[in-house]
Amino acid sequence: MEETSVKEQKNIKQAYIPAIEEMQSRYEDDLRREASRSLEYEYNREIEGQESFFKAFRKFEERDDKIPVYSKEDNVFYEKYKAYVEEETANQGKKIQEIENLIEYERFFLRFERRISSETNNYSHFGSNSATRYRVDCIRGLEKELKKILESSPEAWEFYYKRQLISDIETQHEQRLVAVPYVVNAKQKVIDSLNLGVPVYIVGHLGSGKTQLATEAAMDFTIQNKIQSELENKMEEWFSKNPNAKEKDAIQVFKELNEERKLYYKNILTNGSKGEIESLQPLFISGSHNLTYEDMFVEKTLSLTHSFSQGSYTDYLNMIIGDFYKWMDEHKERLEQMTDEEQLQLKIQIWKSFSDLLVASNSSFGTVIKKVEREILIAVKEGRTVIVDELNTIAMQNLIALNDILQRHAGSTAYITGVGPVLINPGFGFIGTGNLSTQMVNYEGTNELNPAFKSRFVTIEYNYVPQKITGSLEDQEFPEKNELFRIIIAQLADKNGNIHIPDSKRTLEELFRFSQLCRVTQNVFIGKWKGNEAQKDTGMDEPELRESVLSIRNILHVLDNWNQGEEKDLSKALWDGFISSITYPDDQNYILSQAVRFGFFPAMKGWKVDTKGIGEAAATYEEIRTSPYYYVRPSIETLSCLDVVHLVFGKGTLRRVLTKELKEIFEIDIDDSLRIDVKKYQKLDQQLSHLEHSKELLEYLEDNEGEK
């Protein structure tokens, strides 16, 4: 045992001591190797449950991963560094989750306080008091504490943003809006307004995602209300059984119950029954000029009736049997005078007569007027959210009918024409959406809302997510502000946050330029082209797009068409997935010219895009190709989850010095004999400088000899 220990110490003394930057670089390479191996694992999982033919003849491409292989694989200091990083990441993750739980607990209590205050004031307002202000201050303090941890610990930063990336990917797969800051802030504005009982009007341009935002905000609002109500009841129930419990116990119980409830509703949205999912979804009305008052509240319909009067079929049958036997008794003597066959025929006729008479007397024929409750009335009565899509296409005289509902709060009564007074139940919310028109883009059938009517809403303008349109990927000072690029990256990553793409450096730069091109088309479409240099190199003083824009929907079409560079490059995918389908020539020609400006459709790869003037015909594929399209896919490279995090969120908190914990770990292993004094270090430094000078002199002499 002692012999082994001595041997280990000797190996440690002889071990190469890497710089901290080298150890971090090696750690990141290890993550890439693990990401590459996880891809193979996923391939193997795909074939589970498949037929034998598929399994027998399935084949894979040969991969040549360009990840450095280190000669000192068993370096003891690196292994200790890696173990420390992994353990510290887990520890910091626990700290972050504890703080986040405290924030959620304080928010839960704040909403509890506000509900009590609101009910006390007959739902007229929430009101601020000493108790609510205490919770608000607690939340702010905890948010500052969380920010401080992220700024001080590389592992905390890595945990936090890795988790954010995985969440982005899951959200994308669920076809929900990726939670970039612009989306999060807009959604929170909607939810805050609904909590205050104020209706919301979301306006924006084509393909910005207004309706999706409204739907998700409404669902989040509903789920939050349900969880809040359930947690209030469960916490009260728990405390009644544990009256001597401390608040730290309450916080722990809250954490468990809150996680369970969130998971419950998440499972409903993914695996719930139709009825369960519908209970969480908002009611929906598609606005149009033909939409009437009745379409929103109560629809009167004519119904053809042909039904029995009230009572079960058993009751009717018993009635017939009773009458039949009564008739038999009254005519017993006459029946006895008949033959068996005559008796049978008579009984059949009598039974049929009784049946026909009963049906005739208990059936009603004709039409009746039925009242069918529609979405807005249902939402008011049941305390649900209703969305009126394209609100500004509905005739103003029909919208006026909403006035009383829009200015009332939960707990009060609103008057509805044709129905009367109706109690507005808690949970009711109203969201309208509408398209924004500009001088260049005008949506047919839209109207300007009456100012008095519009004043009842909180109006939120929701457009395209932010993206810098200048500079390359490498020189972005604040990469986290490129939110459109972040959405694109989330679309390409696998469920573990890794990305597998050809020639990763070139492709990522190309994808970044693609995100810039998308944002330029968006700016021009909404008329915000000034100052962004979008008009340069186009020959147009005022660029405009009337019908086409690279919205999120169209961006995803292009990415799907590209399919991670499997069969075509991004230029060809951009043409096939979007530009070729543009029917308005001026729009197509402008977007093509901008695509060329951002490096797409290069001449060296057989493309030829000529600048066209306004009014010229649209370009065809044959016009812009000088030779048949040929594509050779570069070798596939792997980016780890951490690489992707750095790509979209920046480098984060860097470790420039050894932490106290790392110093303690390394100092245990480093013997004094391995240390170097100042004089020896200075001597070695002089020798190194001399060698570098000699190298430069030799190179100079070689160059001059070459010139001679």
Side-chain angles (χ1 to χ4, degrees):
M1 200 80 175
E2 287 180 12
E3 220 175 285
T4 308
S5 180
V6 170
K7 204 178 273 185
E8 283 179 359
Q9 287 181 6
K10 191 177 178 182
N11 289 338
I12 288 168
K13 288 178 182 180
Q14 293 174 348
Y16 163 68
I17 307 174
I20 191 160
E21 292 84 4
E22 186 180 344
M23 286 190 288
Q24 180 62 25
S25 177
R26 185 168 171 181
Y27 172 66
E28 291 176 10
D29 286 336
D30 278 354
L31 292 179
R32 292 181 192 111
R33 264 189 292 273
E34 288 171 16
S36 189
R37 284 195 293 269
S38 74
L39 181 63
E40 293 176 13
Y41 174 72
E42 291 299 324
Y43 284 158
N44 293 329
R45 277 190 63 189
E46 288 174 9
I47 67 172
E48 292 177 8
Q50 298 298 327
E51 301 295 333
S52 56
F53 167 76
F54 182 81
K55 291 180 181 179
F57 298 106
R58 198 178 192 210
K59 297 175 183 177
F60 301 99
E61 67 170 341
E62 291 184 8
R63 291 194 59 184
D64 182 24
D65 291 318
K66 299 176 181 177
I67 302 170
V69 178
Y70 293 89
S71 58
K72 304 177 181 66
E73 288 291 338
D74 58 346
N75 185 277
V76 66
F77 297 104
Y78 168 68
E79 295 302 328
K80 288 181 178 293
Y81 175 83
K82 184 181 179 182
Y84 164 78
V85 169
E86 290 172 350
E87 185 181 355
E88 184 66 8
T89 302
N91 291 337
Q92 292 296 335
K94 289 177 184 175
K95 281 186 185 179
I96 289 170
Q97 288 170 327
E98 285 173 8
I99 294 172
E100 288 174 334
N101 178 58
L102 286 172
I103 291 172
E104 290 204 38
Y105 174 77
E106 297 296 342
R107 284 177 177 160
F108 158 75
F109 225 110
L110 177 62
R111 292 189 69 183
F112 208 158
E113 290 277 7
R114 285 174 172 170
R115 181 181 67 78
I116 300 295
S117 176
S118 179
E119 289 176 358
T120 307
N121 292 289
N122 291 321
Y123 296 96
S124 59
H125 64 281
F126 284 126
S128 173
N129 55 50
S130 180
T132 60
R133 290 191 290 274
Y134 171 81
R135 300 294 172 181
V136 168
D137 291 343
C138 282
I139 292 167
R140 286 177 179 170
L142 288 165
E143 287 174 342
K144 285 181 182 176
E145 187 180 342
L146 179 58
K147 186 180 178 183
K148 189 177 177 182
I149 289 175
L150 296 179
E151 289 175 348
S152 61
S153 168
E155 288 77 28
W157 188 93
E158 181 179 324
F159 173 86
Y160 186 86
Y161 286 103
K162 267 189 177 180
R163 191 183 58 173
Q164 183 62 65
L165 174 65
I166 298 300
S167 175
D168 286 356
I169 296 163
E170 288 177 357
T171 303
Q172 191 83 273
H173 290 171
E174 293 166 2
Q175 297 184 327
R176 288 167 61 91
L177 297 171
V178 176
V180 296
Y182 182 79
V183 172
V184 171
N185 293 335
K187 195 182 288 185
Q188 195 57 51
K189 284 180 185 176
V190 176
I191 294 171
D192 289 345
S193 295
L194 294 177
N195 279 324
L196 292 168
V198 180
V200 181
Y201 182 43
I202 305 172
V203 294
H205 288 277
L206 171 71
S208 60
K210 307 178 292 298
T211 306
Q212 184 68 19
L213 177 76
T215 304
E216 291 185 20
M219 288 177 68
D220 289 352
F221 169 71
T222 299
I223 291 171
Q224 285 175 17
N225 281 341
K226 286 181 179 292
I227 291 176
Q228 178 72 22
S229 177
E230 290 162 1
L231 287 177
E232 287 177 13
N233 294 330
K234 287 179 180 291
M235 292 301 293
E236 290 288 2
E237 186 182 330
W238 167 79
F239 191 71
S240 67
K241 295 177 181 176
N242 303 273
N244 298 320
K246 306 295 183 185
E247 190 169 25
K248 67 176 183 179
D249 302 320
I251 291 169
Q252 182 59 35
V253 171
F254 168 82
K255 179 184 178 182
E256 293 167 5
L257 291 173
N258 189 32
E259 287 176 354
E260 185 272 326
R261 287 289 85 190
K262 286 196 288 187
L263 184 61
Y264 171 77
Y265 285 108
K266 185 179 179 180
N267 287 336
I268 283 180
L269 292 175
T270 51
N271 304 308
S273 65
K274 184 182 177 183
E276 287 175 327
I277 295 171
E278 285 180 353
S279 69
L280 303 179
Q281 290 177 328
L283 296 160
F284 196 88
I285 296 174
S286 293
S288 72
H289 186 71
N290 298 321
L291 194 79
T292 65
Y293 165 85
E294 289 185 340
D295 294 328
M296 295 186 288
F297 292 99
V298 180
E299 184 181 11
K300 294 177 182 177
T301 61
L302 291 175
S303 177
L304 180 67
T305 62
H306 182 196
S307 60
F308 258 33
S309 52
Q310 291 184 349
S312 71
Y313 292 116
T314 305
D315 294 337
Y316 294 132
L317 185 59
N318 290 334
M319 191 187 299
I320 296 173
I321 292 169
D323 289 342
F324 178 73
Y325 279 115
K326 185 180 178 183
W327 186 91
M328 293 276 286
D329 287 338
E330 291 175 352
H331 299 83
K332 187 176 180 181
E333 292 181 6
R334 186 180 295 182
L335 287 168
E336 287 175 350
Q337 296 173 4
M338 297 180 182
T339 63
D340 291 345
E341 181 64 26
E342 287 174 337
Q343 283 188 44
L344 179 61
Q345 291 300 321
L346 182 60
K347 288 176 183 177
I348 291 171
Q349 290 298 320
I350 295 299
W351 176 263
K352 188 175 182 301
S353 299
F354 275 126
S355 300
D356 291 344
L357 286 167
L358 189 72
V359 169
S361 62
N362 287 276
S363 297
S364 59
F365 299 83
T367 57
V368 295
I369 296 173
K370 279 191 173 182
K371 290 184 178 180
V372 180
E373 293 184 351
R374 299 305 301 262
E375 285 78 8
I376 295 179
L377 183 57
I378 294 170
V380 169
K381 285 186 172 183
E382 297 183 2
R384 296 173 64 181
T385 308
V386 62
I387 297 172
V388 181
D389 200 32
E390 310 293 355
L391 183 71
N392 56 345
T393 62
I394 303 172
M396 200 62 232
Q397 65 265 26
N398 293 323
L399 289 176
I400 291 171
L402 296 169
N403 281 354
D404 200 44
I405 291 174
L406 297 177
Q407 63 189 17
R408 303 284 180 185
H409 294 274
S412 61
T413 301
Y415 185 82
I416 299 174
T417 306
V419 180
V422 179
L423 178 68
I424 301 175
N425 275 295
F428 170 71
F430 187 101
I431 305 174
T433 71
N435 283 312
L436 275 176
S437 296
T438 67
Q439 291 181 346
M440 290 172 278
V441 182
N442 186 46
Y443 300 98
E444 189 178 347
T446 58
N447 313 298
E448 274 297 321
L449 293 180
N450 183 310
F453 177 77
K454 193 176 177 181
S455 67
R456 290 171 165 81
F457 294 86
V458 167
T459 300
I460 297 171
E461 185 172 340
Y462 180 78
N463 277 309
Y464 309 108
V465 299
Q467 173 66 43
K468 293 283 288 182
I469 60 172
T470 56
S472 66
L473 177 61
E474 295 292 328
D475 62 13
Q476 294 298 305
E477 188 177 356
F478 302 104
E480 66 276 12
K481 292 185 178 181
N482 294 307
E483 297 179 22
L484 181 56
F485 182 63
R486 173 176 161 184
I487 292 171
I488 289 172
I489 292 299
Q491 178 69 13
L492 299 176
D494 64 23
K495 66 179 183 180
N496 298 313
N498 309 312
I499 288 181
H500 315 275
I501 51 176
D503 193 353
S504 60
K505 187 175 181 180
R506 181 187 62 78
T507 300
L508 288 172
E509 183 64 48
E510 198 170 37
L511 286 167
F512 186 74
R513 285 188 276 110
F514 174 61
S515 69
Q516 291 177 313
L517 168 66
C518 296
R519 183 63 204 188
V520 165
T521 69
Q522 294 165 3
N523 285 342
V524 174
F525 188 77
I526 64 179
K528 293 184 178 180
W529 56 270
K530 291 183 180 178
N532 64 25
E533 300 184 355
Q535 71 274 27
K536 285 187 179 180
D537 306 320
T538 65
M540 301 169 64
D541 295 328
E542 293 190 20
E544 64 177 50
L545 291 170
R546 293 184 180 273
E547 299 177 359
S548 307
V549 60
L550 274 160
S551 62
I552 290 293
R553 189 184 302 113
N554 288 325
I555 290 169
L556 296 181
H557 287 167
V558 173
L559 292 177
D560 288 343
N561 202 285
W562 177 60
N563 195 23
Q564 296 176 310
E566 186 171 86
E567 294 180 294
K568 63 182 75 172
D569 63 11
L570 201 53
S571 291
K572 184 68 161 55
L574 182 57
W575 173 265
D576 292 342
F578 177 64
I579 296 177
S580 64
S581 62
I582 299 173
T583 56
Y584 188 64
D586 288 347
D587 282 8
Q588 190 202 60
N589 292 331
Y590 177 75
I591 291 173
L592 261 176
S593 70
Q594 290 301 297
V596 171
R597 191 169 73 87
F598 279 100
F600 297 99
F601 306 104
M604 61 184 293
K605 292 190 177 180
W607 299 98
K608 184 177 183 295
V609 179
D610 295 323
T611 302
K612 292 188 176 184
I614 295 173
E616 291 192 47
T620 64
Y621 179 73
E622 289 72 22
E623 286 178 17
I624 63 173
R625 284 298 302 177
T626 59
S627 60
Y629 183 76
Y630 181 70
Y631 173 69
V632 178
R633 183 177 62 253
S635 60
I636 300 295
E637 296 174 359
T638 296
L639 277 73
S640 72
C641 183
L642 185 58
D643 291 328
V644 181
V645 167
H646 288 160
L647 190 66
V648 295
F649 297 110
K651 292 297 181 183
T653 304
L654 301 176
R655 182 183 290 105
R656 302 191 184 279
V657 295
L658 288 175
T659 62
K660 183 183 175 183
E661 293 82 3
L662 272 174
K663 283 181 181 176
E664 288 174 356
I665 291 170
F666 289 159
E667 282 176 0
I668 294 169
D669 297 330
I670 301 174
D671 190 88
D672 285 338
S673 62
L674 294 174
R675 302 182 188 274
I676 189 168
D677 61 28
V678 176
K679 288 183 178 178
K680 193 173 180 181
Y681 173 80
Q682 289 174 340
K683 187 178 178 182
L684 288 170
D685 187 55
Q686 287 175 356
Q687 290 175 345
L688 183 62
S689 298
H690 179 71
L691 286 170
E692 287 176 348
H693 178 72
S694 301
K695 179 174 174 287
E696 288 175 3
L697 185 62
L698 285 168
E699 287 175 348
Y700 174 77
L701 291 170
E702 285 175 3
D703 291 341
N704 285 343
E705 186 68 26
E707 286 177 11
K708 287 179 182 179

